[in-house]
Amino acid sequence: MTLKTTRTYIEGLANGLTEQGKVTIQEGEGWHTDVTTKTITYDPISLQNLPASVAKGLLIHEVGHVKHTKNLINTPIGKANKAMHDVYNTLEDIRIDQELVKQYGNF
């Protein structure tokens, strides 16, 4: 039996893993997180088309941002141009994945 990855499933998993209160899940383009509002945006097309294990990996990565990424809106990095933000986010993604492996093993 295959576990279907649905919005209800990812909402429950995200809230269980964050340990920080309510996380909002919303549909949108791509997968990303607003750490200020604790909102995880997911791509509904990839949710339907990707294997459940890949969708869970994407979700766990975004949960990692809720748990470990600092709000940088009022910092020099947060106020910098998009290119600077993209560089920071790339480095932050690597750090987040390392933290998640420490917490949850090789997901």
Side-chain angles (χ1 to χ4, degrees), residues 32-41 62 65-66 71 73:
H32 52 90
T33 299
D34 180 335
V35 297
T36 305
T37 62
K38 297 182 185 176
T39 301
I40 296 175
T41 301
E62 296 307 328
H65 282 294
V66 172
N71 180 355
I73 287 177

Side-chain angles (χ1 to χ4, degrees), residues 72-73 75-90:
L72 298 174
I73 287 177
T75 68
I77 291 174
K79 294 177 182 178
N81 61 32
K82 182 174 175 3
M84 180 62 132
H85 176 267
D86 289 348
V87 168
Y88 171 79
N89 192 55
T90 299

Side-chain angles (χ1 to χ4, degrees), residues 6-96:
T6 63
R7 180 186 176 128
T8 303
Y9 173 78
I10 65 171
E11 206 162 51
L13 184 59
N15 279 295
L17 292 174
T18 59
E19 305 162 359
Q20 296 181 11
K22 181 79 172 137
V23 174
T24 303
I25 304 293
Q26 69 181 18
E27 290 185 6
E29 287 188 36
W31 290 73
H32 52 90
T33 299
D34 180 335
V35 297
T36 305
T37 62
K38 297 182 185 176
T39 301
I40 296 175
T41 301
Y42 72 95
D43 176 12
I45 295 170
S46 71
L47 189 63
Q48 291 178 3
N49 295 332
L50 291 173
S53 60
V54 174
K56 284 189 282 186
L58 288 167
L59 177 64
I60 291 170
H61 174 83
E62 296 307 328
V63 165
H65 282 294
V66 172
K67 291 180 77 165
H68 301 291
T69 299
K70 293 177 178 41
N71 180 355
L72 298 174
I73 287 177
N74 294 316
T75 68
I77 291 174
K79 294 177 182 178
N81 61 32
K82 182 174 175 3
M84 180 62 132
H85 176 267
D86 289 348
V87 168
Y88 171 79
N89 192 55
T90 299
L91 297 172
E92 182 66 0
D93 282 346
I94 294 167
R95 187 183 77 79
I96 291 299

